Amino acid sequence: MNKWVGLVFGGATLVSSVFANAADENFDVYVFTDATYDDNVFRVTDSAEALAQNGTSTRDDVRTTFGVGADILIPVSRQRFTVDAELRRTKFNERDNNNGRFTGEWLWAYASRARGTLGYDYERRIANFFELQTRTRDTLTNQRFYGDARVPIHPRWTAVVGADTNNITFSERPFLDNDSVTVLAELLF
């Protein structure tokens, strides 16, 4: 674990120092850490209930997170491409977890007439322990594709159409998996 943390911080420091001289407002690399103490991780009433549910009377835990991320903006004529990514290592007393998130967007424009967004979001993280009230590590994965278009149809009127699809999966509770699709149409004036 200590080698992994050292590699993350060492690599992030090296990368950020290399780009610091040449970077502008379109590129940002960062590292972060936090520690959180929770005196009742599983939301049980007392140590006896914790022992019955989890096999240990311990109810508290310290969560420590180490991470590295990047925010990138790539302008190309009227188009803009954005990438936001973050990798995190979350350490508990017994339930360590690697997780992260990624967002990629194309903010498109066609002449001065139409514009819109096409994007993808991905997040992987550990679900809250109090949802299960056990020591089980349940990994939640959320994937989302989305897009919209805005087209002026009159000097004061704009038509908007879009769609969004979302897929949520749980590693230990597949009965909670969820797929959804949303379609929208608006007329703005």
Side-chain angles (χ1 to χ4, degrees):
M1 173 62 191
N2 290 336
K3 289 180 183 179
W4 190 89
V5 171
L7 286 174
V8 167
F9 281 112
T13 303
L14 177 65
V15 168
S16 63
S17 65
V18 167
F19 288 107
N21 295 330
D24 60 10
E25 67 275 359
N26 295 338
F27 185 78
D28 185 27
V29 175
Y30 57 91
V31 296
F32 61 92
T33 185
D34 72 39
T36 304
Y37 172 76
D38 190 336
D39 66 344
N40 193 358
V41 174
F42 303 106
R43 305 303 182 253
V44 292
T45 56
D46 57 22
S47 297
E49 184 180 355
L51 183 62
Q53 285 186 358
N54 304 315
T56 179
S57 61
T58 303
R59 299 184 321 159
D60 65 338
D61 205 343
V62 175
R63 180 187 75 220
T64 308
T65 302
F66 304 95
V68 60
D71 296 325
I72 303 167
L73 170 64
I74 304 167
V76 179
S77 185
R78 293 177 184 229
Q79 317 302 311
R80 293 182 353 170
F81 299 91
T82 64
V83 175
D84 299 317
E86 193 172 275
L87 297 174
R88 296 181 297 267
R89 172 73 173 164
T90 303
K91 182 173 175 17
F92 295 88
N93 288 339
E94 298 179 13
R95 296 162 292 278
D96 295 353
N97 186 38
N98 294 324
N99 52 62
R101 65 169 182 78
F102 170 84
T103 300
E105 282 188 333
W106 171 26
L107 305 166
W108 60 270
Y110 178 73
S112 60
R113 296 290 303 159
R115 62 187 167 89
T117 304
L118 187 61
Y120 173 72
D121 285 334
Y122 175 87
E123 181 182 22
R124 181 178 184 269
R125 64 178 175 83
I126 197 166
N128 291 326
F129 294 119
F130 67 87
E131 291 177 6
L132 292 170
Q133 294 189 336
T134 68
R135 294 162 48 126
T136 303
R137 179 175 41 197
D138 191 12
T139 303
L140 179 149
T141 304
N142 186 3
Q143 295 187 74
R144 178 178 167 241
F145 294 94
Y146 57 93
D148 67 25
R150 296 171 176 266
V151 180
I153 56 175
H154 185 272
R156 294 185 182 183
W157 295 44
T158 301
V160 180
V161 294
D164 185 314
T165 177
N166 200 25
N167 172 264
I168 300 172
T169 59
F170 292 83
S171 64
E172 299 298 321
R173 299 176 291 170
F175 59 90
L176 290 177
D177 291 358
N178 184 352
D179 291 320
S180 65
V181 175
T182 304
V183 178
L184 69 93
E186 295 178 299
L187 186 58
L188 306 174
F189 56 95

